[in-house]
Amino acid sequence: MDKEQVRQVIASRVAKELHDGDVVNLGIGLPTEVPNYIPEGVHVTLQSENGLLGMGPTPEAGSEDPHFVNAGGGHITALPGAMSFDSATSFAIIRGGHVDVTVLGALQVDQNGDLANWMIPGKKVPGMGGAMDLLVGAKRVILAMEHTAKGSPKILKKCTLPLTAKGQVNMIVTEMGVMDITPEGIVLKELHPEFTVEQIQAATEAELIISPDLKPML
C-alpha cells in the first residue's frame, strides 16, 4: 500500500463515521481529505477554527480563491449559505460544545485516550492551533493517522511527547484498522484485509483488545 493509498483508506473510512446534520471540524493534513469521501445523501457542515462555517471541497487547481483557506492555510471552497466570522466566534462555537465531531492527526496516542499532536522537543514547533480546544469541546474525537512513523508505533501504552489533552480520544482510524478507546483499553473492531491481527499488534505498543465482533474494515 503506497502513501496515497494509505491516505485514501483512512480518509474514506473516517468519512463513514459522519452523520447527516453533523457539524464537523477537520484538522490539517490527512483529515482535510475526509470530505472527498462523505457518502452520498449525508450532509455535514464543516467548520474551520480560523472562522468559517460551511466549507466545501478542495478547489480544482487553478480555481483557488485566495480569500478562502482553512486553518492550515490550504485552499478551500465555501458552500452556498456559508458564513465567515472572527476567531473569537469560531472558538465560542468549539468551546460551547457545538461541534459534533473533530477529526485530527496525531504524533502519538495512548491507551488512555491521551493525545500528543503539536510538538517534538528539539524540533520546529508548529504550534497547538485549536487542537486543545477541539479535544475538550467537540462531542466526539476521531484520529485519522498512519499506524506507525518510520516503523515505530504511534499507538502507545503512554505518550512520551508533550500532551495536547488527556483522555479525550474516542476512535483511531489507521490504514491497518479501526479502534475504539474504552475504559478497558483500545479495542480493535475492524482490520484492513491486507493485515492480520498479529501484524497490527506488532505495530502497536499498547496491548489491543480484540473485539469478539471483529470484522473487515469497511
Side-chain angles (χ1 to χ4, degrees), residues 115-132:
L115 173 65
N117 77 341
W118 72 284
M119 72 170 293
I120 299 176
K123 296 189 177 181
K124 182 179 178 180
V125 180
M128 189 174 289
M132 182 173 62

Side-chain angles (χ1 to χ4, degrees), residues 150-165:
K150 298 180 179 179
S152 298
K154 295 173 64 176
I155 304 173
L156 310 176
K157 294 179 180 178
K158 188 173 180 60
C159 291
T160 59
L161 295 175
L163 295 182
T164 313

